[in-house]
């Protein structure tokens, strides 16, 4: 889940303008002024095919008897690239049988100016030299499959997006691909007035996504708001009555140490520490699972309020406690 998400940061805006984009935002823009800047109902072709002259892998020197020989060679190289572009154009004409359908090409390799001009005349928006991470996420977002050859180009390899448009954020140009059918990848657009605010939001979002991921993998949740720590401390104090000798002091110290979590919650919320803790312990003694209401300081049921802690985080913390105290 977290690995399929990407954060684009935009300054000069309020943090309340941040939003989830059900699709992908690519940090690329069209390199031809005649290409469309926005359209709806777009077929998306993701590919890794060069649409420009490729330099020879080895240094070579060529000579011609006359200028016509050189022109024939250049024409042959140009013909190869043009055939690739025409195959894309033919596919576009096949699937875009009405005026309300459009075509987007995202290529990981280069597209030369002549090829860009051919695509622009057909109303195709083409992005060149896309990053590999964007190519992988785009296939997850829009569907279809990335192609490495145009020999078997069929409509089955195409993805689909309901809305495609270009937008300038700061000094950079971005292409938004939104309203996809079954997005397995998405983008979080974070906006803020300065870099500090943006970094805080990004950290909060990443922590939240990680908490959801941990909950899915663990399959368990623990009541939050300090409820588990209060219950565990109460249990240890009862257990200490059965322990003899110096070990009893260790159990009591551990029981008291667990109350650091509810104490910290109370202090950070500006509540009276003693009153809040006494209320929690009294309610728990009556058999209730209770945590702290950070607004009023009164005991609440964290389960009914939807306040949970990650099982992984809590279990790891308490598994390491005996080791820390033994040191």
């Amino acid at each position: 889940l977290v690995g399929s998400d990407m954060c684009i940061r935009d300054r000069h805006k309020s943090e309340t303008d941040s939003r989830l984009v059900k699709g992908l935002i690519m940090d690329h823009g069209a390199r031809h002024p005649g290409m469309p800047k926005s359209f709806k109902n777009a077929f998306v072709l993701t590919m890794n095919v060069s649409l420009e002259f490729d330099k020879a892998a080895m240094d070579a020197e060529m000579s011609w008897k006359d200028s016509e020989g050189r022109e024939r060679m250049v024409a042959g190289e140009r013909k190869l690239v043009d055939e690739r572009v025409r195959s894309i154009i033919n596919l576009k004409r096949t699937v875009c049988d009405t005026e309300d359908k459009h075509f987007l090409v995202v290529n990981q390799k280069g597209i030369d100016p002549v090829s860009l001009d051919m695509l622009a005349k057909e109303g195709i928006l083409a992005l060149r030299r896309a990053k590999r991470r964007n190519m992988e996420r785009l296939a997850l977002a829009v569907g279809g499959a990335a192609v490495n050859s145009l020999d078997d180009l069929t409509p089955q390899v195409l993805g689909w997006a309901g809305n495609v448009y270009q937008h300038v954020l700061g000094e950079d140009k971005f292409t938004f691909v939104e309203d996809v059918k079954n997005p397995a990848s998405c983008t979080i657009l974070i906006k803020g007035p300065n870099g500090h605010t943006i970094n805080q939001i990004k950290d909060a979002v990443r922590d939240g996504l990680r908490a959801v991921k941990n909950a899915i993998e663990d399959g368990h949740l623990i009541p939050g708001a300090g409820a588990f720590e209060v219950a565990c401390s109460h249990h240890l104090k009862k257990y200490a009555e059965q322990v003899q000798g110096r070990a009893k002091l260790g159990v009591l110290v551990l029981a008291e140490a667990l109350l650091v979590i509810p104490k910290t919650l109370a202090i950070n919320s500006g509540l009276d520490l003693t009153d809040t803790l006494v209320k929690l312990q009294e309610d728990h003694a009556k058999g209730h699972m209770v945590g702290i209401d950070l607004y009023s300081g009164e005991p609440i049921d964290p389960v009914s309020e939807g306040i949970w802690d990650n099982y992984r985080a809590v279990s790891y913390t308490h598994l390491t406690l005996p080791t820390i105290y033994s040191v």
Side-chain angles (χ1 to χ4, degrees):
L1 175 65
V2 177
S4 298
D5 286 77
M6 173 183 176
C7 293
I8 300 295
R9 297 185 288 180
D10 178 27
R11 300 187 183 184
H12 324 297
K13 295 289 185 179
S14 171
E15 57 272 15
T16 56
D17 294 329
S18 302
R19 65 186 180 94
L20 173 66
V21 177
K22 293 184 178 180
L24 187 69
I25 303 177
M26 295 179 289
D27 49 348
H28 310 281
R31 292 294 183 265
H32 192 284
M35 288 184 175
K37 298 296 185 292
S38 64
F39 45 73
K40 298 183 181 297
N41 299 324
F43 290 95
V44 182
L45 172 62
T46 57
M47 63 185 212
N48 185 23
V49 181
S50 177
L51 297 180
E52 61 183 352
F53 288 136
D54 293 326
K55 294 182 179 180
M58 300 174 59
D59 292 334
E61 182 178 349
M62 306 193 64
S63 59
W64 301 273
K65 294 181 179 179
D66 50 33
S67 60
E68 294 180 356
R70 182 180 182 280
E71 291 176 358
R72 285 195 298 270
M73 178 181 175
V74 172
E77 292 179 346
R78 181 72 253 170
K79 180 180 178 182
L80 179 62
V81 177
D82 288 347
E83 287 177 352
R84 294 176 180 174
V85 177
R86 290 193 187 97
S87 64
I88 297 174
I89 293 175
N90 291 335
L91 178 62
K92 183 260 182 183
R93 292 176 177 174
T94 300
V95 297
C96 299
D97 49 1
T98 58
E99 294 183 356
D100 62 335
K101 296 179 181 179
H102 300 85
F103 207 84
L104 169 66
V105 175
V106 183
N107 192 10
Q108 191 171 344
K109 293 186 177 179
I111 306 175
D112 61 27
V114 178
S115 300
L116 286 174
D117 188 62
M118 294 174 64
L119 295 172
K121 290 179 180 178
E122 289 293 327
I124 298 175
L125 173 60
L127 309 180
R128 64 183 182 182
R129 304 195 189 284
K131 295 184 174 104
R132 181 178 178 181
R133 69 179 186 205
N134 286 342
M135 298 290 290
E136 295 172 349
R137 289 169 172 149
L138 185 62
L140 292 172
V142 303
V147 297
N148 297 315
S149 173
L150 299 180
D151 296 336
D152 300 322
L153 203 58
T154 62
Q156 284 70 32
V157 302
L158 299 177
W160 184 89
N163 190 19
V164 177
Y165 62 94
Q166 295 188 41
H167 186 64
V168 177
L169 299 177
E171 298 179 355
D172 301 317
K173 184 183 292 185
F174 294 87
T175 300
F176 287 64
V177 181
E178 299 185 37
D179 298 338
V180 297
K181 293 181 178 178
N182 298 305
S185 177
C186 60
T187 305
I188 300 173
L189 178 60
I190 298 176
K191 298 184 179 183
N194 50 63
H196 177 69
T197 302
I198 292 174
N199 288 332
Q200 282 188 317
I201 298 174
K202 181 180 178 182
D203 291 342
V205 169
R206 189 171 295 278
D207 291 344
L209 292 174
R210 181 63 64 180
V212 173
K213 174 179 178 294
N214 290 341
I216 294 174
E217 292 180 350
D218 293 339
H220 305 284
L221 288 172
I222 293 177
F228 173 79
E229 286 75 15
V230 172
C232 189
S233 176
H234 181 78
H235 173 77
L236 288 174
K237 288 179 180 179
K238 292 184 63 176
Y239 172 72
E241 297 175 358
Q242 308 172 13
V243 180
Q244 303 295 325
R246 297 177 60 184
K248 181 175 184 178
L249 297 177
V251 175
L252 292 174
V253 169
L254 180 58
E256 190 65 27
L258 289 174
L259 296 178
V260 169
I261 299 298
K263 287 179 180 179
T264 303
L265 291 174
I267 293 173
N268 291 344
S269 302
L271 303 173
D272 184 273
L273 178 58
T274 304
D275 290 345
T276 303
L277 196 59
V278 169
K279 290 178 181 178
L280 283 177
Q281 293 174 328
E282 289 178 348
D283 266 41
H284 182 79
K286 297 177 182 178
H288 302 149
M289 174 66 71
V290 291
I292 302 175
D293 186 337
L294 301 184
Y295 295 100
S296 64
E298 297 296 324
I300 59 170
D301 181 5
V303 176
S304 62
E305 296 293 334
I307 304 173
W308 301 94
D309 284 337
N310 271 130
Y311 170 80
R312 182 176 305 185
V314 176
S315 62
Y316 177 78
T317 300
H318 294 291
L319 283 174
T320 56
L321 281 176
T323 303
I324 296 174
Y325 281 111
S326 65
V327 175

